[in-house]
Amino acid sequence: MTPRINQPRVGEPAEPELLDPLKLCIFTTIALIAWLVSPPVAVVGFASIGLWGYAKARRAGLMKSRCVLGDTRLVMVYLGVAWLAGAWFVVRGLVT
């Protein structure tokens, strides 16, 4: 019988796999780039999903992300700033 890929070997401590919502960080970056040609609503949406995903992962114990920023706190600050900027431009567009 061959061992499964994610199964720890005998004698190795079993570590639970933590969800790294890297794709959510990537999607927010794509939305920021898309902002150049479209409304900032996409940024608000992707940043919201990203913040939710990273907050959930951090509560589960993920401290380091594969995102370029590394630390999940920095990623969450980035997503929060993107959300605030997007929301500001959405509201500004609605008011004017």
Side-chain angles (χ1 to χ4, degrees):
M1 184 170 147
T2 59
R4 292 177 40 183
I5 293 174
N6 291 335
Q7 189 174 18
R9 295 181 186 189
V10 176
E12 290 182 5
E15 294 182 27
E17 286 192 37
L18 298 175
L19 171 70
D20 184 356
L22 173 66
K23 290 181 183 178
L24 300 175
C25 185
I26 291 171
F27 293 154
T28 301
T29 302
I30 291 169
L32 282 170
I33 293 168
W35 191 349
L36 297 173
V37 293
S38 68
V41 174
V43 174
V44 173
F46 281 116
S48 297
I49 295 168
L51 277 168
W52 174 79
Y54 271 95
K56 183 177 178 181
R58 185 153 177 90
R59 282 192 302 269
L62 182 70
M63 298 296 148
K64 185 148 178 74
S65 171
R66 291 180 297 163
C67 182
V68 172
L69 298 174
D71 189 341
T72 54
R73 292 174 295 188
L74 291 176
V75 175
M76 289 171 53
V77 167
Y78 162 71
L79 294 171
V81 168
W83 188 92
L84 287 172
W88 186 80
F89 277 98
V90 167
V91 170
R92 193 181 100 189
L94 293 174
V95 173
T96 57

